[in-house]
Amino acid sequence: MQITILGGGGFLGRKLAARLAKDGTLGGRPITGLTLFDLAAPKPLPAPFPLRCLGGDVADPAALAAAIPPGTGVVFHLAAVVSAAAEADYDLGMKVNIHGTLAVLQACRALGTKPRVVFTSSVASFGGGQEAVVPDDGRQVPTNSYGAQKAIGELLLQDASRKGFLDAVNIRLPTVMVRPGRPNKAASSFVSAIIREPLLGLSTDCPVPPEFAVWICSPRSTVEWFLHAATMDTAPLGLDRGINPPGRSATVAKLLEALEAVAGRTARDKVGFAFDKEVFDIVVGWPGSFEAKRARRLGFPEQEPLADLVRAFIEDDLEATKADRGL
Amino acid sequence: MQITILGGGGFLGRKLAARLAKDGTLGGRPITGLTLFDLAAPKPLPAPFPLRCLGGDVADPAALAAAIPPGTGVVFHLAAVVSAAAEADYDLGMKVNIHGTLAVLQACRALGTKPRVVFTSSVASFGGGQEAVVPDDGRQVPTNSYGAQKAIGELLLQDASRKGFLDAVNIRLPTVMVRPGRPNKAASSFVSAIIREPLLGLSTDCPVPPEFAVWICSPRSTVEWFLHAATMDTAPLGLDRGINPPGRSATVAKLLEALEAVAGRTARDKVGFAFDKEVFDIVVGWPGSFEAKRARRLGFPEQEPLADLVRAFIEDDLEATKADRGL
Ligand SMILES: NC(=O)c1ccc[n+]([C@@H]2O[C@H](COP(=O)([O-])OP(=O)(O)OC[C@H]3O[C@@H](n4cnc5c(N)ncnc54)[C@H](O)[C@@H]3O)[C@@H](O)[C@H]2O)c1
Ligand SMILES: NC(=O)c1ccc[n+]([C@@H]2O[C@H](COP(=O)([O-])OP(=O)(O)OC[C@H]3O[C@@H](n4cnc5c(N)ncnc54)[C@H](O)[C@@H]3O)[C@@H](O)[C@H]2O)c1
């Protein structure tokens, strides 16, 4: 089985690549090759199968044809311009998130072998805000361009699945935390920052109040979801290729409690509050909670408790993040 | 006020143009110019204001720039590849319905004056089928490429409205009947044919059974909806630019009753039944009914009774259709 990860140099792309390299198999079948594709060629990682690391633009059909060669069985389409960046630069968001996804569709269609496509949509494709508990048939009324572009990407890949060009599973990811590295251009960057920065010994300001609720998941369960989406039987999905996976609803206050439980009061006290209207205006539209019954029925696994999310970051990413940031 | 109708040579485009020419005003303001744009330059019609008839492809930015000149206040975006045609030729549907709508977005955005855009989406963007009574917050799970492309067009124009590039109202039209002229490539073509063909003295076969329910509206109320959408205050819409207008749910049997009431038993007896799987498979996914409370609250007018729809065709279109078809 040959696999491609588009956006393979990013946070989740690298986590997934490491897991595939560790397993050497997907769904019980040996992996015969992995292609990591990103704007800049991703750094190689040790793997028990041939690895290709390619640089290119996902909106460039020629680059994509190289990234998705004949024989590709699974494409993870993670390449994206994220929320605040797509809001700040509409044209860039359209290019990567719309024209990029159109190019992915055509590259997969050109194979003629109906590859599985796992597409990372987002909670940001929903509106409804803090009060919402989004039902499984909840409607996507995006409050930002990134969310609109993700909803459009889903519709494109869903219809292409119906046509038999490919076989898509569109996972609407919660905010994945704890994200290693530096604060990024996602409007939800603070959700990770309020855990990560204190664990690095740094102070940080939370741009939303303590009672603000976010729909979150861990990188570990995200990777589990990716593997499940890549190998599940898609027949029970019918026309509806969108998955609201079982994340967890947590207030900022609860996240800080978990931080304190794992790392003590000193860590907790590194987080201040400084309201940021620009960030707030984007994230306030995102639903605080989802029903996620269908995804559970379809076998998507649950989250660990909050404290485990904090511990997982310490185990998996703290040292690398320190090194990366020269701390 | 300068107005452009994209798809201005089509069924609804011509009806709308004729109405604008008759009124000479829109929302109480004088019309200072009308541009009709279609693949082939539409035939001119008498009008009390300057009229331009342009031929071109809606997916061609240069052609669109000419069709939507500076000063344009309202754009009716009706240009489309319709349901069965978009299903038969995926690439053509994508080109016109997706890339065309993207080009409309960019042409309107380039004006810098936030024109009102009235976009004709469709009942075909919903799934749910015969049994459904779609609530106002019903989710669009399209069962065909045309419907997916319409849902995508809506998302594009909705987000562009939020960004302040334009000011869109996306009307999800029911099947408009009675359509004059010839049977066309819409999967719903039969809905008009079972009334029109008998009134022309011709026999026709209905591809679905008598108990099949369709969500319909008249050309007259469609034009009323267009005028309302072009002039309404869009503030109460908020982010949600999609309108499920107050159509009417009718079975084929009810439509034939109305035909008989107006044109007698002989007309009714011209309709036979011959199941057509290809047509059935597309239309069976479309909902038979909608709630449409929000549209009523927002001032979109109701349908006439069914018999009036039959009479309206006789008054407005029967002679022209006869002439057109050499009958
Ligand atoms: N991390 C989250 O909390 C979260 C939540 C919801 C959805 N998602 C989605 O999951 C996916 C992965 O997220 P992530 O956190 O790893 O993001 P990330 O930003 O770390 O990774 C995305 C990668 O896409 C690459 N990319 C951007 N433009 C590209 C282009 N034109 N061509 C090729 N590659 C390009 C970037 O270089 C980056 O490496 C994204 O699609 C994101 O929208 C993430
Ligand atoms: N009539 C209905 O029952 C109905 C129902 C739901 C939605 N709609 C939508 O309403 C709109 C108008 O419908 P109609 O019944 O008048 O359809 P129509 O086919 O009569 O008119 C559409 C027009 O678009 C033009 N067109 C197609 N491709 C084009 C291109 N590339 N560039 C420029 N013009 C192009 C066609 O030439 C045609 O004149 C369409 O968008 C349709 O999808 C119609």
Side-chain angles (χ1 to χ4, degrees):
Chain A
M1 151 119 48
Q2 237 172 254
I3 301 176
T4 296
I5 307 179
L6 306 171
F11 164 35
L12 297 174
R14 287 205 73 78
K15 290 266 180 211
L16 173 61
R19 172 65 181 270
L20 295 174
K22 180 171 150 269
D23 290 357
T25 58
L26 178 64
R29 292 173 55 195
I31 298 170
T32 54
L34 174 64
T35 301
L36 302 181
F37 177 87
D38 208 300
L39 273 179
K43 266 189 300 196
L45 73 175
F49 43 67
L51 179 76
R52 299 190 309 153
C53 295
L54 305 180
D57 190 327
V58 73
D60 169 7
L64 266 190
I68 305 176
T72 305
V74 180
V75 176
F76 294 94
H77 174 24
L78 277 51
V81 172
V82 292
S83 49
E87 198 57 35
D89 187 340
Y90 179 80
D91 292 304
L92 180 65
M94 292 293 281
K95 182 187 159 213
V96 177
N97 298 342
I98 302 270
H99 294 281
T101 300
L102 279 166
V104 172
L105 189 168
Q106 296 296 1
C108 290
R109 179 188 181 196
L111 296 183
T113 51
K114 217 174 153 172
R116 176 66 50 92
V117 176
V118 178
F119 174 58
T120 46
S121 182
S122 170
V123 54
S125 63
F126 290 90
Q130 285 288 297
E131 302 310 315
V133 180
V134 180
D136 280 335
D137 63 350
R139 183 173 161 228
Q140 288 163 302
V141 184
T143 61
N144 55 92
S145 292
Y146 168 76
Q149 291 152 7
K150 288 292 190 185
I152 289 169
E154 288 190 39
L155 281 164
L156 288 171
L157 296 173
Q158 180 165 278
D159 189 52
S161 300
R162 189 189 59 81
K163 293 289 280 185
F165 299 154
L166 48 82
D167 186 18
V169 179
N170 301 320
I171 310 185
R172 298 166 187 142
L173 287 182
T175 294
V176 186
M177 66 170 283
V178 178
R179 187 186 176 94
R182 290 158 209 280
N184 79 339
K185 291 266 187 168
S188 57
S189 184
F190 72 88
V191 180
S192 287
I194 60 172
I195 306 294
R196 184 191 56 234
E197 303 300 301
L199 291 175
L200 292 168
L202 303 173
S203 296
T204 188
D205 278 337
C206 181
V208 302
E211 64 275 15
F212 193 89
V214 281
W215 179 244
I216 58 157
C217 66
S218 72
R220 285 183 184 178
S221 47
T222 302
V223 170
E224 295 297 337
W225 293 341
F226 287 168
L227 301 183
H228 185 61
T231 54
M232 70 187 285
D233 177 12
T234 53
L237 294 177
L239 286 181
D240 181 1
R241 298 305 179 112
I243 300 287
N244 298 338
R248 179 185 289 274
S249 185
T251 60
V252 164
K254 283 274 171 212
L255 294 175
L256 294 178
E257 267 177 36
L259 172 65
E260 184 167 344
V262 174
R265 182 79 208 189
T266 342
R268 162 70 191 79
D269 285 344
K270 298 250 175 232
V271 181
F273 286 88
F275 187 73
D276 180 330
K277 188 167 161 19
E278 207 175 314
V279 167
F280 185 80
D281 282 353
I282 296 183
V283 298
V284 73
W286 303 356
S289 190
F290 286 72
E291 207 177 38
K293 279 191 203 152
R294 180 168 179 258
R296 289 184 173 101
R297 211 165 49 231
L298 289 164
F300 285 84
E302 299 289 339
Q303 295 310 303
E304 315 85 288
L306 289 183
D308 287 4
L309 264 70
V310 178
R311 281 186 209 104
F313 172 72
I314 296 173
E315 283 170 34
D316 296 351
D317 294 305
L318 185 59
E319 284 316 308
T321 297
K322 276 189 181 160
D324 181 36
R325 293 176 60 175
L327 297 167
Chain B
M1 151 120 47
Q2 236 171 257
I3 301 175
T4 295
I5 307 178
L6 306 171
F11 164 35
L12 296 174
R14 287 203 74 78
K15 290 267 180 211
L16 173 62
R19 172 65 181 272
L20 295 174
K22 180 169 149 270
D23 290 357
T25 59
L26 179 63
R29 291 172 57 195
I31 298 170
T32 54
L34 175 63
T35 301
L36 303 181
F37 177 88
D38 207 300
L39 274 179
K43 266 188 300 193
L45 74 175
F49 43 68
L51 178 78
R52 299 190 308 153
C53 296
L54 305 180
D57 191 327
V58 73
D60 168 8
L64 267 191
I68 305 177
T72 305
V74 180
V75 175
F76 294 94
H77 175 24
L78 277 52
V81 171
V82 292
S83 49
E87 197 57 35
D89 187 341
Y90 179 81
D91 293 305
L92 180 65
M94 292 294 280
K95 182 186 158 213
V96 177
N97 298 342
I98 302 271
H99 294 281
T101 300
L102 279 166
V104 172
L105 189 168
Q106 295 296 3
C108 291
R109 178 186 181 197
L111 297 184
T113 51
K114 219 175 153 169
R116 176 66 51 91
V117 176
V118 179
F119 173 58
T120 45
S121 182
S122 170
V123 55
S125 63
F126 289 89
Q130 285 289 299
E131 303 310 316
V133 181
V134 179
D136 280 335
D137 64 350
R139 184 172 161 229
Q140 288 162 304
V141 184
T143 60
N144 55 92
S145 293
Y146 168 75
Q149 291 152 7
K150 289 291 190 185
I152 288 169
E154 287 190 40
L155 280 163
L156 288 170
L157 296 174
Q158 180 165 279
D159 189 52
S161 300
R162 189 190 58 82
K163 293 289 279 184
F165 299 154
L166 49 81
D167 186 19
V169 179
N170 300 320
I171 310 185
R172 298 164 188 144
L173 287 181
T175 294
V176 186
M177 66 168 284
V178 179
R179 187 185 177 95
R182 289 158 208 281
N184 79 341
K185 290 268 187 165
S188 57
S189 184
F190 72 88
V191 180
S192 287
I194 60 172
I195 307 294
R196 183 190 58 233
E197 302 299 301
L199 291 174
L200 293 167
L202 303 172
S203 297
T204 188
D205 277 337
C206 182
V208 301
E211 63 276 14
F212 193 88
V214 281
W215 179 242
I216 58 157
C217 66
S218 72
R220 285 182 184 178
S221 48
T222 301
V223 170
E224 295 296 338
W225 293 342
F226 287 167
L227 301 183
H228 185 61
T231 54
M232 71 187 285
D233 178 11
T234 52
L237 294 177
L239 286 181
D240 180 2
R241 298 305 179 114
I243 301 287
N244 298 338
R248 180 186 287 275
S249 184
T251 60
V252 164
K254 283 277 171 208
L255 294 175
L256 293 177
E257 266 177 38
L259 171 65
E260 184 166 345
V262 174
R265 182 80 207 187
T266 343
R268 162 72 190 79
D269 285 344
K270 297 248 176 235
V271 182
F273 286 87
F275 186 74
D276 180 329
K277 186 167 162 19
E278 206 175 316
V279 167
F280 185 80
D281 282 352
I282 296 183
V283 299
V284 74
W286 303 355
S289 191
F290 286 72
E291 206 177 39
K293 280 192 204 151
R294 180 168 178 256
R296 289 184 172 99
R297 211 165 49 231
L298 289 163
F300 286 84
E302 299 289 338
Q303 295 310 303
E304 314 85 286
L306 290 182
D308 288 5
L309 263 71
V310 179
R311 279 185 210 104
F313 172 71
I314 296 173
E315 283 170 35
D316 296 351
D317 294 304
L318 185 59
E319 283 318 307
T321 296
K322 275 190 182 161
D324 181 37
R325 294 177 58 176
L327 296 168

